[in-house]
Amino acid sequence: MKKISIVIPTYNEVENVRAIADAVTAEMSVLAYKYEILFIDNCSSDGTRGIIESMCTENADIKAIFNVKNFGQFNSPVYGMLQSEGDCTILLAADFQDPVDMIPKFIAAWEEGYTIVCGIKTSSGENPIIYNLRSVYYKLIKRFSSTEQIEHFTGFGLYDKSFIETLRNLHDPAPFLRGIVAELGGKRKDIEYKQPQRRFGKTHNNFYSLYDAAMLAFTSYTKIGLRIATFIGFIIAAIAAGVGIAYLIMKLVYWDRFAAGTMPLLIGMYFLGAVQLVFIGFLGEYILNINTRLMNRPLVIEEKRLNFKESSHE
């Protein structure tokens, strides 16, 4: 019998964690598959861990990994996926914004031969301004990336074990799952859904976390920021040089009537600033290239794991 792994990242989800486990268990109990529920907790401080430990004691099909600290919104879910043992893995949010009733649809598509099934948001119960800003962001990243990008895909979906093995072989210290799926994923099916509001508690996303997500995508899959810096540097340098030459000619032609003033100093400052911007852009290109190849840090560091066999992936 095939086995389904459901990976649920948590961070301060004390109000949701038992409810999401019960909902997933109820959904899987009517399907003809073995399953495991794997919680990976990013150092919660609100009692989430105590509830997860209780559930692991009550149910051997529920596993848990506790991180020693918060390793961010990207590393922890991917690490949890790498520890899954199923024939496929479903990544699911703990706050019910990823509908549990999508699980049978994902599995049905997987049985049809798709190695990746993506949940695509068509609308959301979140703030309309945030949703629209996300839409603009997805279009920008799609426009400037050389790799196909998937709009309104948060990572909620199903991944065949062959793709999980691809993730294991990447050894990426800063994985951006959505980009990896678009770049390296196999046969893919997108299934649309309407994202409900968070069931309990407050969202942990803030401006910094959203900005971090946006910058990770831009620096991983586009060079637009560095290229803009370089191009603007060239343009400003050219303008400054042109103004400087024109100023010199005016001074030579109208020596007695054309006052020197502080303009040459200002032109020199702008010119040197532009040259610096050009070289910072070039330097950024090299750093980006080196950074993607040489960093070798662990995704997370575990504090402990529950209900795992010794043969589980480390």
Side-chain angles (χ1 to χ4, degrees):
M1 182 181 293
K2 294 180 180 178
K3 185 175 183 179
I4 312 294
S5 296
I6 298 96
V7 174
I8 307 177
T10 59
Y11 175 67
N12 290 344
E13 295 287 355
V14 66
E15 297 174 292
N16 291 308
V17 65
R18 184 174 287 277
I20 192 68
D22 291 342
V24 171
T25 300
E27 200 70 48
M28 294 302 301
S29 65
V30 298
L31 300 175
Y33 298 93
K34 294 191 295 184
Y35 70 94
E36 65 176 7
I37 300 174
L38 170 55
F39 287 100
I40 178 162
D41 186 75
N42 229 354
C43 201
S44 294
S45 58
D46 66 344
T48 298
R49 289 191 168 189
I51 297 175
I52 293 175
E53 288 191 68
S54 296
M55 292 191 296
C56 288
T57 302
E58 299 163 4
N59 187 346
D61 292 326
I62 297 180
K63 300 179 178 181
I65 296 174
F66 294 158
N67 299 338
V68 298
K69 59 173 289 185
N70 189 332
F71 287 95
Q73 59 180 319
F74 301 112
N75 286 22
S76 191
V78 171
Y79 185 80
M81 294 170 66
L82 298 183
Q83 310 313 306
S84 64
E85 300 177 345
D87 295 290
C88 69
T89 299
I90 296 173
L91 183 63
L92 183 72
D95 58 8
F96 287 92
Q97 286 196 290
D98 296 341
V100 176
D101 59 11
M102 292 287 287
I103 290 177
K105 298 178 183 178
F106 289 165
I107 295 175
W110 174 59
E111 291 287 14
E112 292 173 5
Y114 294 96
T115 57
I116 294 179
V117 187
C118 298
I120 306 297
K121 292 188 294 184
T122 56
S123 63
S124 176
E126 67 182 344
N127 187 311
I129 296 176
I130 298 297
Y131 182 79
N132 290 327
L133 286 175
R134 289 182 193 273
S135 298
V136 172
Y137 155 73
Y138 285 125
K139 293 185 183 304
L140 281 175
I141 192 73
K142 187 174 183 178
R143 172 67 178 82
F144 292 115
S145 175
S146 57
T147 301
E148 175 202 7
Q149 297 298 314
I150 309 169
E151 293 188 48
H152 291 291
F153 170 55
T154 63
F156 173 45
L158 179 148
Y159 307 89
D160 184 78
K161 63 181 180 181
S162 61
F163 179 77
I164 300 299
E165 195 59 35
T166 298
L167 281 181
R168 289 194 183 105
N169 294 330
L170 283 180
H171 305 293
D172 189 344
F176 184 61
L177 181 61
R178 286 170 271 179
I180 295 172
V181 169
E183 182 181 15
L184 303 177
K187 186 179 180 182
R188 190 185 88 225
K189 181 174 183 178
D190 297 339
I191 300 180
E192 297 181 345
Y193 72 100
K194 295 181 179 180
Q195 184 186 57
Q197 289 184 330
R198 180 184 178 88
R199 181 170 292 189
F200 301 111
K202 295 181 179 180
T203 180
H204 305 301
N205 285 328
N206 51 35
F207 174 78
Y208 177 79
S209 63
L210 294 175
Y211 178 81
D212 187 47
M215 286 301 101
L216 180 59
F218 270 92
T219 56
S220 297
Y221 290 94
T222 76
K223 296 181 179 179
I224 187 64
L226 298 173
R227 293 284 163 79
I228 287 176
T230 303
F231 293 154
I232 289 178
F234 277 125
I235 292 170
I236 294 177
I239 293 174
V243 172
I245 293 172
Y247 193 91
L248 176 62
I249 293 173
M250 292 290 289
K251 184 62 180 177
L252 292 175
V253 174
Y254 304 104
W255 185 265
D256 296 326
R257 290 177 288 171
F258 200 77
T262 59
M263 185 59 70
L265 293 176
L266 293 175
I267 292 174
M269 289 173 57
Y270 279 114
F271 180 77
L272 290 176
V275 171
Q276 290 175 347
L277 193 59
V278 170
F279 283 100
I280 288 173
F282 281 130
L283 181 62
E285 293 274 10
Y286 285 107
I287 291 174
L288 177 63
N289 202 353
I290 294 170
N291 183 59
T292 56
R293 287 169 169 78
L294 296 185
M295 288 186 67
N296 186 25
R297 296 177 181 174
L299 289 175
V300 307
I301 298 175
E302 295 183 23
E303 179 179 316
K304 66 178 178 179
R305 51 172 59 195
L306 304 173
N307 284 352
F308 278 84
K309 300 176 182 178
E310 291 184 3
S311 60
S312 298
H313 298 284
E314 297 289 342

